[in-house]
Amino acid sequence: MIFKSVGDGRPYPEHGLSHREWAQIPPRQVRLDSLITTKAVLDLHSLLAKDSTFYGDLFPHVVQWRGEFYLEDGLHRALRAALHQRSVLHARVLQVDDSGGVAPAADEMGAQ
């Protein structure tokens, strides 16, 4: 299995980070098999597009909540990594608490 689980939606509280605020979080390695997706469907045009990262962040966005890692943005990048037989990818990881408070996540679980 590529991911820990395939979800459909975001179970964690809204964090309200803008793209600019996400860009301030340094990327780190995250294991694909520790990720829970927040989308159950992927548009193949996004996956196969040569310029899929041209307009967005180069790094997927992961939310750490209650000890789990949720892939919020960048599903096509994660699948590309899996298709290239990589077990990790570089992502920006944000830790969210139950009240919606945020902080860059410490490099601990999910990384290797």
Side-chain angles (χ1 to χ4, degrees):
M1 181 168 222
I2 297 171
F3 301 112
K4 181 174 183 176
S5 179
V6 175
D8 192 15
R10 300 174 183 175
Y12 47 86
E14 178 61 41
H15 52 71
L17 253 65
S18 68
H19 291 290
R20 183 169 293 209
E21 291 168 319
W22 271 106
Q24 300 304 309
I25 299 172
R28 65 179 179 104
Q29 287 188 344
V30 179
R31 293 186 52 84
L32 291 173
D33 62 4
S34 71
L35 294 173
I36 299 170
T37 69
T38 59
K39 297 177 186 172
V41 177
L42 174 71
D43 178 14
L44 282 177
H45 292 295
S46 295
L47 177 65
L48 301 174
K50 291 181 181 177
D51 64 348
S52 65
T53 58
F54 185 76
Y55 295 106
D57 194 343
L58 291 175
F59 300 101
H61 297 171
V62 173
V63 172
Q64 182 181 357
W65 181 64
R66 294 184 175 174
E68 300 288 355
F69 292 85
Y70 295 91
L71 181 60
E72 179 174 290
D73 182 46
L75 179 57
H76 62 290
R77 292 177 192 92
L79 281 174
R80 277 188 179 173
L83 289 171
H84 285 97
Q85 299 183 348
R86 294 189 295 245
S87 61
V88 298
L89 80 153
H90 286 84
R92 300 183 193 280
V93 181
L94 177 72
Q95 187 169 355
V96 175
D97 62 27
D98 286 339
S99 67
V102 300
D107 195 0
E108 51 182 59
M109 294 175 42
Q112 300 236 327

